[in-house]
Amino acid sequence: MALDEMIAVANAMVAPGKGILAADESTGTIKKRLDSISVECTEHNRRAYRELLFRTEGIGDYISGVILFDETIRQSAEDGTPLVAILKDAGVIPGIKVDAGAKPLAGAPGEKVTEGLDGLRDRLAEYYDMGARFAKWRAVIDIGAGIPSSYSIDANTHALARYAALCQEASIVPIVEPEVIMDGSHTVDRCQEVTEATLMALYKALFEQRVVLEGTILKPNMVVSGSDCAEQAGVEEVAERTIACFNRTVPSAVPGICFLSGGQSEEEATAHLNAMNAGGPLPWELSFSYGRALQASALKAWGGQPENVQRAQAAFHHRAQMNSRARSGDYNPAAEQKAA
Ligand code: 13P
């Protein structure tokens, strides 16, 4: 393994003012997104949409890396340029989702475990040759009556650590993503308790499996109220609880923490990140790796129409710029009104 190279990549992924675009929706998930704008989910349309995002002028000012799906890393733009080459030319590091999705966990009704370890060593070598320098694996932890069990937390964090160790063997930076899902009526207290337990188990598993933390990135949920909880925590409370949770569980050897948005609105996700970074110095870079919270407006503005490409790119550029400001606590919601 090339440790120096991985550490350099991990630090570049969380360079000041920059964050990650998660554009690695599986075919099923991108179908849902395209359905929402009444666009047919064909390979051509999936490529057209991703090409639009990657060709946005100035993307490299705010975006350090893009997480791709297997289909996308192999695709070329309309004019024949490989999509990976477009990203590299813009100064953006290509990454790849390598998990095979969350499936029911045997013996644990209502809980899931992420699959995809079989053959992973060979796939990582192929992705490295194709230009990927980091990867992503997402574990799903649901909150509900009597769940999560410690069995499901252990099964998921063990798999995350096995994936991370294989990535580092292949000189690829692992993004480790244990997502505590916000769906449900649970309180913010319960989210914090489950997120802390999950992160404690994760860092124990990474240690046991000899993963070098300096060459990893954490992609967690924020500590928020369940989406159906009657009492919603405000921006300051989310920021305080999330930082407290990480101070207790995430070693300072980890170079950066890049949040998922998980169903938050674009502006909520930016405001939360901003509040956390406005609070003073932290042991790790605190950044974003948003999917929906970087793409929602752009997707809507595009609507599948070639004449809307520039409007969609402007919407994506704006979101990326707002989140870039939130990296240093310089985001001001008034900038949203002006852009609108
Ligand atoms: P969201 O920001 O839409 O949650 O997506 C991020 C992601 O990559 C989830 O795995």
Side-chain angles (χ1 to χ4, degrees), residues 83-127:
L83 294 182
V84 165
I86 292 175
L87 292 175
K88 284 190 190 164
D89 283 353
V92 174
I93 309 167
I96 181 75
K97 184 229 291 291
V98 300
D99 68 68
K103 307 285 159 58
L105 175 63
E111 300 194 90
K112 298 192 190 86
V113 67
T114 300
E115 297 188 346
L117 289 169
D118 287 359
L120 182 56
R121 174 176 278 126
D122 295 341
R123 288 194 291 130
L124 287 167
E126 186 192 7
Y127 288 137

